[in-house]
Amino acid sequence: MGSVRAANTVGRHRRVDSFAVMEYNDKRELKRFNSVVWSMGATQSMRQYRNIEGDTVMHIGKTMKVAFAAAAAAAMVVPLAACGGGADSGKTKLTFLSWSNEQYMKPIIDKFEEKNPDITIDFNYSPPVGEYVQTLQTRIVGNQAPDLFFICTENKSNIIDNDNALDLTNEPAVKNLSEANKEYLTKDGKTYGISVSSWESGIVYNKDLLAKVGADSIPENWDDFLALLKKLKDAGITPYLEPVDDVPKIFQAFLGAKYDLAGDTEAEKAIFEGKSTFEKEWTPELEQWYRLWDEDLVTRDAVGIDGNAVKTQFLNGELATMTTGPWDFKDLKSSNLNFGIAPVPALDGGEVYGAGSPSPGLAIYSKISDKKLDAAKKFLNFYISEDSLQVQSDNGDAITATNFSSKVIPEYEDVYNNGLRKSKYYLSMNYWTKSPDVLQQEAKAQAQQVVQGAITPRQAAKNMDAKLASLS
């Protein structure tokens, strides 16, 4: 596939010194660079992205030097174009800035180009999360927007609100989206991206350790689950751990169940519309999650333990249960542990739900037209075809499009079939319409203080309200 190319990722591993040697030929070029710097800013949080195999990639930190270096590089980047003449002569060319790397996307693009010999895809890749968002924004601001790109939680409000994504509501591809995936990239009744897969975390448990206290699975009720943890602790077994490095997943599952039972599709958006508060929406569920520490079932030292440390304890047979998702399945399957995966238990009067999110969605730049637009729509609809979805499933994605079913590991089948396939999962950030990265970091800090006993769950929720107010 000669038309697929891996571009340099903007700003990654690039020395800041490169800024000093860049030259600007005229004032217009310098002005363009300044606009790029301004659009990117220097507040992007340090993020990690874990792929389906558990590999971890570290991205841009929040220093002005990195942001300026990335902007300097981006200002000089031009789209990778095929040379005139040759095999691509006369073809419609689409530029594509991908969230997934060339190894992942190449088979999909190859199949598409085979079926559409009059179209060629000019492929560029930038790794998620922060670097991808910045690269896409830089290209849009610099009038070099790709014809095809991905929308994610971190950039969807900006992309949609600024009319950079085409309204796809009437495209055939939308008909095969699951309810949650469609809702994820829909605003005011219009759908702007095609999200075909999702992830959902669950309670992973060591069957042999549970058997020591007479249990063979995770209870579906939260009170019963806490009672099981107490039995495990009384037997000298570490019952449960979770890293307190994000909005707590069990807590988010509780929120999702509450909104689903109430038929409330607005969920936490109401907070940002001034109709509700974090204190009102969060407090009851956060108090339930905090029972893990309030009832002395989990060590408060969990604040200093990251996800890899928790996983290591589990893989060593030293931990009975933990919360995780598909990113750890490769390590779990290679460990030879006798393990199972269960949905998050339900609160009394609630329902079994999960913490999870749709994947980023493929979008079309709103400013293209004529042959480019027709070609882009063809690729969009191919992206959700069986040929494409099979490639994505083979790469480990849990497909949630209604026209396909993934083969997942046996331990995950219950969560996949009764959670993901039925859109029974929830992620708070997907409903935060303002500064989601900033609020995520604040939520992490508040959760850590709750675990340490420094503040109550209600106070943590009040602090989230104060943080949101400060962003106005």
Side-chain angles (χ1 to χ4, degrees):
M1 183 180 62
S3 57
V4 176
R5 304 167 187 172
N8 282 334
T9 55
V10 176
R12 193 173 189 218
H13 305 311
R14 187 178 293 273
R15 287 176 55 84
V16 177
D17 299 332
S18 63
F19 174 79
V21 300
M22 297 181 68
E23 296 181 350
Y24 294 93
N25 297 325
D26 56 36
K27 291 182 179 179
R28 286 175 301 174
E29 194 171 351
L30 180 58
K31 182 177 179 181
R32 178 178 163 228
F33 170 72
N34 288 335
S35 71
V36 170
V37 171
W38 180 257
S39 72
M40 290 177 69
T43 60
Q44 183 67 38
S45 300
M46 183 81 76
R47 297 295 304 277
Q48 286 185 337
Y49 171 76
R50 289 184 175 86
N51 65 18
I52 200 71
E53 296 183 347
D55 302 320
T56 301
V57 182
M58 187 68 73
H59 297 297
I60 295 176
K62 59 172 190 175
T63 66
M64 182 65 80
K65 285 185 178 181
V66 175
F68 269 69
M76 303 302 289
V77 169
V78 295
L80 293 178
C83 297
D88 290 343
S89 180
K91 294 184 178 183
T92 300
K93 184 182 71 175
L94 296 173
T95 56
F96 181 18
L97 180 62
S98 177
W99 169 285
S100 302
N101 63 24
E102 184 177 2
Q103 181 180 3
Y104 182 100
M105 288 301 306
K106 185 177 186 300
I108 296 173
I109 295 175
D110 280 348
K111 288 177 181 290
F112 172 77
E113 290 184 335
E114 182 180 344
K115 292 177 180 291
N116 298 273
D118 58 331
I119 302 171
T120 184
I121 306 293
D122 189 7
F123 179 89
N124 286 254
Y125 165 67
S126 188
V129 173
E131 191 167 333
Y132 183 87
V133 171
Q134 288 188 337
T135 301
L136 177 59
Q137 179 65 13
T138 300
R139 290 185 61 170
I140 291 173
V141 170
N143 295 318
Q144 294 181 1
D147 303 320
L148 298 160
F149 55 86
F150 283 97
I151 305 178
C152 60
T153 297
E154 289 80 0
N155 72 353
K156 65 177 184 175
S157 292
N158 180 58
I159 293 293
I160 294 171
D161 291 347
N162 287 296
D163 297 322
N164 289 315
L166 186 72
D167 176 9
L168 305 174
T169 307
N170 296 320
E171 289 303 309
V174 174
K175 297 178 181 178
N176 289 325
L177 297 181
S178 73
E179 178 184 347
N181 292 74
K182 181 180 178 181
E183 180 186 333
Y184 174 53
L185 295 176
T186 293
K187 183 175 182 179
D188 298 331
K190 297 179 180 180
T191 302
Y192 294 92
I194 302 300
S195 168
V196 301
S197 61
S198 304
W199 64 267
E200 180 179 339
S201 60
I203 306 292
V204 180
Y205 58 98
N206 184 316
K207 292 183 177 181
D208 294 334
L209 292 182
L210 262 62
K212 292 184 177 181
V213 295
D216 58 7
S217 63
I218 298 296
E220 292 188 353
N221 176 271
W222 181 243
D223 288 337
D224 293 340
F225 176 65
L226 296 181
L228 171 61
L229 297 188
K230 187 177 187 307
K231 285 184 180 179
L232 288 162
K233 185 175 181 181
D234 290 345
I237 300 169
T238 303
Y240 175 81
L241 278 177
E242 68 173 83
V244 190
D245 58 359
D246 203 343
V247 186
K249 290 184 172 58
I250 288 178
F251 159 67
Q252 292 183 85
F254 292 163
L255 285 179
K258 173 178 70 174
Y259 294 130
D260 187 58
L261 284 172
D264 183 355
T265 58
E266 192 172 54
E268 290 177 69
K269 288 180 183 177
I271 300 171
F272 296 80
E273 295 169 355
K275 301 175 183 177
S276 189
T277 63
F278 279 107
E279 181 183 4
K280 179 181 177 181
E281 300 297 324
W282 276 27
T283 300
E285 288 72 27
L286 203 56
E287 287 174 342
Q288 287 290 337
W289 169 74
Y290 178 57
R291 290 175 64 190
L292 289 164
W293 290 271
D294 196 38
E295 297 178 17
D296 197 28
L297 298 170
V298 183
T299 174
R300 295 185 188 272
D301 292 338
V303 169
I305 303 174
D306 65 18
N308 284 329
V310 173
K311 180 174 66 175
T312 297
Q313 288 194 43
F314 187 87
L315 295 177
N316 289 339
E318 302 166 353
L319 177 64
T321 66
M322 67 174 182
T323 305
T324 192
W327 49 88
D328 281 334
F329 288 176
K330 181 179 179 181
D331 290 337
L332 288 167
K333 291 298 288 184
S334 63
S335 69
N336 295 318
L337 277 177
N338 185 19
F339 74 95
I341 305 172
V344 174
L347 297 175
D348 283 344
E351 65 175 329
V352 172
Y353 222 75
S357 175
S359 62
L362 183 66
I364 297 175
Y365 185 49
S366 60
K367 307 301 192 293
I368 64 173
S369 59
D370 302 327
K371 286 185 178 181
K372 268 187 175 289
L373 179 58
D374 292 340
K377 288 183 176 181
K378 283 185 179 181
F379 185 78
L380 182 91
N381 288 295
F382 179 80
Y383 183 69
I384 199 171
S385 70
E386 185 173 347
D387 282 347
S388 172
L389 295 178
Q390 186 63 61
V391 172
Q392 296 177 63
S393 182
D394 290 344
N395 275 311
D397 287 356
I399 303 300
T400 45
T402 59
N403 59 324
F404 190 90
S405 182
S406 287
K407 183 178 180 181
V408 298
I409 62 173
E411 296 86 353
Y412 195 57
E413 287 178 352
D414 183 23
V415 174
Y416 177 67
N417 291 320
N418 297 308
L420 281 175
R421 299 286 296 174
K422 296 181 179 180
S423 298
K424 299 287 188 180
Y425 55 91
Y426 181 85
L427 196 73
S428 288
M429 282 184 68
N430 291 341
Y431 295 84
W432 295 350
T433 58
K434 185 175 185 177
S435 304
D437 276 359
V438 175
L439 290 172
Q440 183 190 36
Q441 292 302 312
E442 183 68 18
K444 169 185 172 180
Q446 295 302 321
Q448 290 177 345
Q449 290 187 68
V450 169
V451 168
Q452 291 170 330
I455 59 175
T456 65
R458 182 175 297 277
Q459 186 59 56
K462 285 183 178 181
N463 291 344
M464 288 293 294
D465 286 321
K467 183 64 176 181
L468 178 59
S470 75
L471 300 173
S472 299

